[in-house]
Amino acid sequence: MDQEYERRLLRQINHQNLHTERRMTKSLGAACSPLSVKSGDRFIPTRAGSNWSINFHYANENCHSPAQNHKAKDAGSDSSKDAVAYAALLRNELLGAGIETVAEPHADDRRHEVLAPDSCSLFRYAVHTKRVPCDGGNEVSPFSLSPLSNKSHKLLRSPRKPARKISKIPFKVLDAPELQDDFYLNLVDWSAGNLLSVGLGACVYLWSACTSQVTRLCDLSVDGDSVTSVCWNERGSLVAVGTHKGYVQIWDAAGGRKLTCLEGHSARVGALAWNGEQLSSGSRDRVILQRDVRTPPATERRLQGHRQEVCGLKWSPDHQHLASGGNDNKLLVWNSSSLVPVQQYSDHLAAVKAIAWSPHQHGLLASGGGTADRCLRFWNTLTGQALQSTDTGSQVCNLAWSKHANELVSTHGYSQNQILVWKYPSLTQVAKLTGHSYRVLYLAVSPDGEAIVTGAGDETLRFWNLFSKTRCTKESKSVLNLFTRIR
């Protein structure tokens, strides 16, 4: 080919390409950049003044679905905390953020909401007159061999809280033959003397957490009766036993003898609660009886407010108020003097058996509903206001607060049969435990507040280490560690 002709052909092709590129640059610049007039014919986005910290966060948020973002926020593992520290390190080195400590991630954090939802681009095309200094004015020492800034060094040296580790496996499992699969009964309780009382059929058994010895306290089969509830007094010396025929028996645990038998109910007694020397009992006859065990049985208070069976009873830590839940979906609060409820909550859509008073906040009451409700609800009994609620996804059978942290544990039935640990007030799930094949109907907390025991219709009792007095990974000094743990 002639060389002169080849040069002319190449010059013509280059000229056409240049015109096409200029037209595309002008159209894109007019649509995307407000500075297209000042930038000439080249599409160069302006980076000065862009809020890179917010944009970078927002870009990461948009990469995942809302469910994945919520799950990531709830995670408390080492990998998630390392990811937070790494992101902070990148922001220090690339964006000059000047972060020196890593904050704990919270589920209710709303830092990302400052960006408008219609501005999803990582890059911005606006010009600002002032530019933020790269490292906040802190120069790196010329003698340092590290490529990191001073802020990043402080970030890496900042102390980190050890990760919360909750074992997914129970450290002990006991057989509990004839443990009834009945939502309305309360057949397991743990005493201050470290004795576990369990109602199995017509008998009540005591299991020592110190020696693992089992003794039979009573047998109601001779009277043709069965156990429907058990409850220890605060000192752990007396255990109350509710029966199917409506009796309440008081037993001396140390001596193994029955002290008295209280009458007054016409149906089974499924709920018991001690308040000092006074014992409250709730029955299928819809009545709550409150009696002093030191006085004759004639001195009793009858509390009538439920329209169906009473299945939950709990006294407040200050001994001033009694909370009762019933199969009529009602949660009632009584004081120590009135015969009518001082407060009534009707938000639940199913039976209210799970009730727990907070030991950390005065007047805070938690409750859980049955299969048709599935919700945890929190109430301020000082003002009578509803505070928060969350749908757990399954029947709520029991609730108990931690003695050492602002957390609570819930046990569930249909349809997941799980055990959940919640952080309050964020209501994020700290742990989810599974193992029971039937509804987890029974729950009790150890006297030191570090372990719980759960019982289910699968006729097993499972012991779990959930709470710790100190947030450390070393072995707990609970007396329960005397047991042989199942690995």
Side-chain angles (χ1 to χ4, degrees):
M1 181 183 294
D2 183 30
Q3 293 184 358
E4 184 65 23
Y5 175 75
E6 183 179 359
R7 283 195 295 270
R8 290 199 307 271
L9 182 62
L10 291 175
R11 194 161 45 243
Q12 182 180 2
I13 293 175
N14 291 336
H15 184 71
Q16 292 177 354
N17 290 341
L18 181 60
H19 277 289
T20 304
E21 182 179 357
R22 286 181 177 178
R23 285 197 300 270
M24 292 180 62
T25 303
K26 289 182 179 180
S27 60
L28 288 175
C32 301
S33 176
L35 302 176
S36 58
V37 177
K38 298 180 180 180
S39 300
D41 59 349
R42 297 189 64 191
F43 182 65
I44 303 177
T46 304
R47 307 288 187 251
S50 295
N51 196 336
W52 286 86
S53 179
I54 295 178
N55 294 347
F56 196 65
H57 265 300
Y58 196 80
N60 285 339
E61 281 282 307
N62 291 336
C63 293
H64 306 285
S65 65
Q68 290 174 322
N69 290 332
H70 182 71
K71 183 177 181 181
K73 289 179 183 179
D74 291 347
S77 60
D78 288 336
S79 59
S80 64
K81 292 183 179 180
D82 290 342
V84 173
Y86 181 66
L89 188 65
L90 286 180
R91 288 197 295 273
N92 277 356
E93 297 304 310
L94 301 179
L95 311 177
I99 302 174
E100 297 184 5
T101 58
V102 179
E104 291 292 327
H106 296 284
D108 54 352
D109 198 352
R110 294 292 181 266
R111 292 171 298 175
H112 310 318
E113 295 182 359
V114 296
L115 191 62
D118 55 347
S119 303
C120 299
S121 175
L122 176 62
F123 304 114
R124 309 299 291 269
Y125 302 100
V127 176
H128 297 266
T129 57
K130 295 185 76 175
R131 187 182 179 95
V132 181
C134 182
D135 193 26
N138 290 337
E139 295 290 337
V140 181
S141 171
F143 305 104
S144 175
L145 299 180
S146 172
L148 301 180
S149 63
N150 291 336
K151 297 288 186 180
S152 296
H153 279 291
K154 292 181 180 179
L155 172 67
L156 295 176
R157 289 195 299 265
S158 63
R160 291 183 56 191
K161 185 184 296 185
R164 172 82 175 276
K165 296 185 182 298
I166 296 179
S167 176
K168 305 288 186 179
I169 303 174
F171 65 84
K172 194 172 188 67
V173 179
L174 298 178
D175 290 331
E178 297 186 62
L179 185 62
Q180 298 187 51
D181 184 28
D182 193 327
F183 177 79
Y184 300 98
L185 306 186
N186 293 274
L187 298 175
V188 177
D189 198 20
W190 209 329
S191 77
N194 223 8
L195 285 176
L196 189 70
S197 60
V198 185
L200 301 177
C203 301
V204 175
Y205 292 90
L206 303 181
W207 179 80
S208 173
C210 299
T211 64
S212 297
Q213 292 183 348
V214 179
T215 58
R216 187 174 66 180
L217 179 66
C218 64
D219 187 354
L220 307 182
S221 61
V222 293
D223 301 323
D225 210 345
S226 62
V227 179
T228 53
S229 57
V230 294
C231 185
W232 289 94
N233 68 344
E234 295 179 5
R235 294 195 302 269
S237 57
L238 303 178
V239 58
V241 179
T243 74
H244 184 78
K245 291 186 176 181
Y247 299 112
V248 178
Q249 299 182 4
I250 310 298
W251 286 77
D252 178 11
R257 59 190 182 91
K258 182 170 66 175
L259 301 180
T260 184
C261 181
L262 304 177
E263 301 179 357
H265 289 293
S266 59
R268 70 179 182 186
V269 179
L272 296 168
W274 286 89
N275 185 26
E277 299 298 331
Q278 295 182 343
L279 177 63
S280 300
S281 57
S283 171
R284 183 183 270 180
D285 62 9
R286 303 170 294 178
V287 177
I288 300 173
L289 294 181
Q290 187 172 328
R291 294 170 279 203
D292 193 323
V293 298
R294 300 167 299 180
T295 61
T299 58
E300 65 181 21
R301 295 176 63 236
R302 297 178 64 89
L303 308 179
Q304 295 179 307
H306 288 284
R307 297 184 178 181
Q308 293 190 39
E309 180 174 6
V310 181
C311 50
L313 285 177
K314 284 291 168 60
W315 277 95
S316 61
D318 61 0
H319 306 286
Q320 298 300 313
H321 292 89
L322 173 68
S324 64
N327 198 35
D328 55 359
N329 310 344
K330 298 292 191 298
L331 175 64
L332 306 181
V333 178
W334 316 74
N335 61 22
S336 57
S337 58
S338 177
L339 296 180
V340 295
V342 294
Q343 292 176 1
Q344 177 174 317
Y345 304 104
S346 305
D347 292 7
H348 284 291
L349 304 177
V352 183
K353 176 192 177 185
I355 302 172
W357 292 89
S358 171
H360 311 291
Q361 184 174 339
H362 180 60
L364 176 59
L365 177 64
S367 61
T371 307
D373 182 71
R374 307 175 304 179
C375 289
L376 284 181
R377 299 184 184 274
F378 297 85
W379 318 89
N380 184 347
T381 59
L382 303 180
T383 61
Q385 294 178 339
L387 298 178
Q388 295 170 273
S389 66
T390 182
D391 190 342
T392 65
S394 56
Q395 177 188 46
V396 185
C397 301
N398 287 282
L399 283 174
W401 288 87
S402 168
K403 298 179 181 179
H404 313 299
N406 205 12
E407 298 175 349
L408 71 160
V409 57
S410 60
T411 67
H412 299 268
Y414 302 126
S415 59
Q416 301 181 35
N417 305 328
Q418 80 272 38
I419 303 164
L420 300 178
V421 182
W422 306 84
K423 184 179 291 294
Y424 186 84
S426 63
L427 294 184
T428 55
Q429 288 186 21
V430 179
K432 178 179 179 180
L433 309 177
T434 57
H436 286 288
S437 57
Y438 281 70
R439 297 181 294 174
V440 189
L441 297 176
Y442 311 110
L443 169 69
V445 183
S446 65
D448 62 6
E450 296 192 10
I452 66 167
V453 60
T454 56
D458 56 10
E459 298 186 344
T460 62
L461 297 175
R462 297 173 185 263
F463 295 79
W464 316 79
N465 269 328
L466 293 189
F467 308 114
S468 177
K469 295 178 182 178
T470 56
R471 290 286 184 263
C472 58
T473 56
K474 65 182 180 181
E475 190 71 14
S476 171
K477 296 182 180 180
S478 168
V479 293
L480 296 175
N481 293 329
L482 299 175
F483 304 150
T484 303
R485 300 193 177 192
I486 298 177
R487 296 297 182 186

